[in-house]
Amino acid sequence: MGTWDAGPFNNDAAMDFTSEVVDQLVSALDEFMASPEIDETFDAAFAAIGLLNAIMGVCSARPYKPEPGFDAPAVRTAMVKCFDEQIDGLAPEPTFKRKQREMLIAALDTFVGFCKR
């Protein structure tokens, strides 16, 4: 296919590279889903969500898994559940806890929305 338009993501090489980056970020989500721990896998998964949102905001790359496919809503559910059930064990300051949860929900909602496209 080669190049189909001007810009940093409109060619095969760029999209192959971007797909590799997306796959690496998805591996942090896979680790979290295998062991959802607020102080072990959560932070990397949250960062991966933020980076995936940034990538999906500028190009067509999306997380991919063979059948049954990538389940963004399941990631959202697991991350919120993990946060809600485990955050108090870290004794966070109440304002931080509220703001962190708000940011988590916003990032996850954006993520799920991008993954539907």
Side-chain angles (χ1 to χ4, degrees), residues 39-105:
D39 60 348
E40 296 295 326
T41 57
F42 182 87
D43 290 336
F46 193 7
I49 293 291
L51 290 168
L52 285 163
N53 285 345
I55 290 168
M56 291 187 290
V58 297
C59 73
S60 62
R62 298 292 184 267
Y64 170 79
K65 295 239 186 237
E67 292 300 323
F70 186 81
D71 192 349
V75 171
R76 184 194 186 285
T77 298
M79 289 192 74
V80 172
K81 179 180 178 188
C82 178
F83 184 88
D84 288 345
E85 291 178 355
Q86 298 179 27
I87 192 65
D88 289 338
L90 299 176
E93 191 273 322
T95 301
F96 171 80
K97 177 182 169 181
R98 181 185 50 77
K99 287 180 181 179
Q100 185 75 341
R101 190 177 193 284
E102 288 171 3
M103 295 197 70
L104 176 65
I105 296 295

